[in-house]
Amino acid sequence: MACYIAWATDDEIRKKGTSGGFVTAALVSALENDLIDAALVVKRIDVYEGIPILTSDPEEVKSCAGSFHAVPVNLTKYVDPDLRIGMPAKPCDARGVIEQAKRLQIDLDKVFLIGLNCSGTMLPLAMRNMIEVLCQLDPDSVIKEEIIAEKLILKTKNGEKAIKIDEIEEKGYGRRQSCRYCNINIPFMADLACGNWGVPKGKKGTFVEIFTEKGETFFRNAVDSGAIAFEEAEEKSIFTRKRIDEAMKKLAEENWKKLSNSLDGIDRLSYYIKSFENCIGCRSCKIVCPVCACGEDAKCVSMDYETDSYRISMFNLVRLLHLMDSCIGCGQCEDVCPVDIPLTFIHRRFAKRIQDILDYVPGVNLEKPPFYETKLMEW
Amino acid sequence: MIEELGLEPERLRLEWISASEGSIFAEMIRDVTEKIKVLGPSPLKPEGVK
């Protein structure tokens, strides 16, 4: 597989980008050369707030350059199936898009998945609190944030402050829970993966790995139009990147074990009944779910009657069952839940069981879910 | 799912029975009914409802 260190030839983009401005420069170039109709990017309001936008304006794309950790939104449902789209995608964005493609909602040929390495996102409010309490900084004075080598780096007008992610999380702040146990950091299911892991020290560049022909097209277009320059990645870079990925994965698995073991020896049924008892049936978890493509007549909705008053509603029971083979653990359901049910953890508990047994990972390729295939019979 | 939820696995049973196997079907239903009676009502049933 082809690995490069690439950077934007435009100095301004290169400076603004987190690592080398490759993603921004290549997106702009794809727009200008009519490779895509629109880019799906997150428009920054400040360090803690951004909104997903579909735009054809290269200037707007440029304004979105740079990393952004406090906007944990999943972009899947913002994809317009009628347009050719280029989207920077965290692993969970890319997996959501692939799951929607399996359910015939998105044509993958029309979407360029520009993968972004991801070590996790933070909830805006949690991040503000952390910056105030742990870093003794005014949250509003932070102008830029980056995560490099397991450290969160906050830039203010007066300089930089770095803090280790481990330390943040030991003190109860930090990444969303779902990110802490997510074990996919490099979006190998996307068309290409970009990030700063493995970039030689002191160099302003983006490590790019190309996975598909579409990825190659996207990369070549940027090279041919002069938007980016690149060199082959050296063995050492590839090795460093792999090592970081493996360390993150190991940490994620430990985190999952710790969290999952918290249910050991307790009466799970009572735990689940208690967890769901505050559910107000608002359906937000279903609306944001990037793998759900059922629409308004979904079983979870149509089989749910408030008058049933089961101790766990049919809505939740059907969703638990329905997501067992497809949950990608993105954390959206938990983020939007107005009564703070630990939904992602619960869905992961149910889904991991079956996904492990059937050796099926949703959202990484176009393989149909196991309940559609003979695999289940063999098992 | 039943297992993760903490319900008794005996509450769910799947059998393939042909339309010509009436006696097997009747036997199975008798068996299931008996087992469910021993288990009692589902813990997910709301209180005070029969």
Side-chain angles (χ1 to χ4, degrees):
Chain A
M1 249 170 275
C3 293
Y4 305 107
I5 305 288
W7 56 88
T9 46
D10 181 320
D11 274 342
E12 207 177 304
I13 298 182
R14 191 175 184 189
K15 215 176 124 214
K16 214 176 159 214
T18 304
S19 34
F22 165 79
V23 176
T24 308
L27 268 177
V28 169
S29 153
L31 268 177
E32 284 169 353
N33 294 332
D34 196 33
L35 202 61
I36 54 174
D37 300 318
L40 176 52
V41 286
V42 179
K43 192 177 170 77
R44 193 179 311 249
I45 293 170
D46 57 29
V47 174
Y48 313 99
E49 204 175 346
I51 40 170
I53 53 163
L54 258 173
T55 175
S56 306
D57 176 8
E59 289 310 313
E60 202 153 34
V61 174
K62 281 182 204 167
S63 74
C64 300
S67 69
F68 211 171
H69 289 96
V71 180
V73 64
N74 190 295
L75 296 177
T76 308
K77 293 226 159 147
Y78 294 89
V79 173
D80 181 337
D82 295 328
L83 297 176
R84 292 171 303 153
I85 288 174
M87 61 181 283
K90 305 184 290 298
C92 53
D93 297 323
R95 295 176 75 190
V97 170
I98 290 175
E99 283 300 300
Q100 290 293 326
K102 278 182 199 175
R103 291 162 178 74
L104 309 177
Q105 304 296 307
I106 292 176
D107 179 0
L108 268 193
D109 290 341
K110 287 166 96 173
V111 183
F112 286 93
L113 289 170
I114 304 133
L116 308 174
N117 292 357
C118 177
S119 43
T121 52
M122 288 174 228
L123 288 171
L125 193 63
M127 187 153 164
R128 288 183 78 99
N129 284 342
M130 177 208 63
I131 290 173
E132 203 167 345
V133 178
L134 226 52
C135 307
Q136 313 274 322
L137 284 174
D138 172 12
D140 291 317
S141 71
V142 177
I143 42 177
K144 205 174 167 190
E145 44 84 20
E146 281 172 352
I147 295 182
I148 297 175
E150 294 168 43
K151 274 189 202 142
L152 175 72
I153 295 159
L154 301 165
K155 288 183 183 159
T156 61
K157 262 188 234 147
N158 311 322
E160 272 186 24
K161 193 154 189 170
I163 181 159
K164 279 188 99 174
I165 295 205
D166 285 1
E167 194 185 320
I168 298 173
E169 285 178 5
E170 267 167 32
K171 294 186 177 151
Y173 297 92
R175 295 175 296 166
R176 294 148 75 224
Q177 197 182 53
S178 51
C179 297
R180 294 181 202 195
Y181 55 73
C182 170
N183 62 359
I184 299 187
N185 312 298
I186 295 177
F188 59 85
M189 71 300 291
D191 293 311
L192 60 171
C194 313
N196 57 16
W197 303 347
V199 177
K201 258 207 169 113
K203 194 172 181 89
K204 205 65 177 127
T206 311
F207 190 113
V208 183
E209 183 174 4
I210 297 175
F211 301 110
T212 64
E213 244 172 69
K214 220 162 14 124
E216 181 72 29
T217 311
F218 185 78
F219 188 80
R220 281 292 143 203
N221 168 69
V223 174
D224 293 344
S225 62
I228 62 150
F230 72 97
E231 58 191 34
E232 301 261 337
E234 286 174 30
E235 278 299 312
K236 203 180 148 216
S237 290
I238 297 173
F239 178 75
T240 311
R241 173 171 176 261
K242 205 171 150 206
R243 215 190 46 211
I244 299 174
D245 183 37
E246 274 164 13
M248 296 290 301
K249 264 190 185 155
K250 213 176 129 211
L251 190 69
E253 264 141 41
E254 281 166 17
N255 284 341
W256 171 255
K257 257 192 212 140
K258 224 188 287 169
L259 187 67
S260 184
N261 288 351
S262 66
L263 291 194
D264 279 359
I266 70 163
D267 173 7
R268 280 204 299 275
L269 185 63
S270 309
Y271 169 79
Y272 290 132
I273 289 175
K274 183 108 189 95
S275 299
F276 282 112
E277 88 186 344
N278 288 337
C279 176
I280 56 170
C282 70
R283 320 266 196 253
S284 299
C285 49
K286 172 186 175 288
I287 295 166
V288 296
C289 180
V291 300
C292 170
C294 301
E296 280 174 20
D297 301 325
K299 278 199 222 57
C300 57
V301 176
S302 49
M303 289 169 79
D304 188 53
Y305 297 96
E306 262 170 48
T307 44
D308 279 347
S309 53
Y310 291 122
R311 295 166 102 180
I312 299 178
S313 71
M314 250 344 214
F315 171 74
N316 287 312
L317 286 172
V318 172
R319 267 186 67 74
L320 280 174
L321 178 69
H322 205 168
L323 279 168
M324 282 178 89
D325 67 343
S326 54
C327 173
I328 56 172
C330 69
Q332 296 291 294
C333 46
E334 194 166 316
D335 288 348
V336 298
C337 182
V339 291
D340 287 339
I341 299 170
L343 281 167
T344 310
F345 169 58
I346 295 175
H347 277 297
R348 283 319 294 156
R349 272 289 301 205
F350 279 75
K352 207 172 174 326
R353 242 181 139 114
I354 198 85
Q355 289 173 7
D356 283 356
I357 292 175
L358 296 173
D359 194 19
Y360 172 75
V361 186
V364 298
N365 54 35
L366 285 172
E367 186 192 347
K368 285 267 189 298
F371 294 150
Y372 284 80
E373 303 207 325
T374 52
K375 223 167 160 184
L376 194 66
M377 305 292 279
E378 284 157 25
W379 169 63
Chain B
M1 174 174 166
I2 299 251
E3 213 178 294
E4 175 61 35
L5 198 57
L7 287 174
E8 304 87 340
E10 304 89 81
R11 282 190 192 275
L12 181 71
R13 190 158 150 188
L14 178 66
E15 302 271 350
W16 303 115
I17 300 173
S18 149
S20 64
E21 296 173 322
S23 64
I24 299 180
F25 177 73
E27 188 52 43
M28 194 209 55
I29 295 297
R30 252 179 245 126
D31 192 42
V32 171
T33 316
E34 210 169 284
K35 284 203 171 117
I36 293 290
K37 272 194 179 143
V38 175
L39 288 170
S42 160
L44 289 176
K45 216 172 178 181
E47 271 165 55
V49 176
K50 282 204 173 162

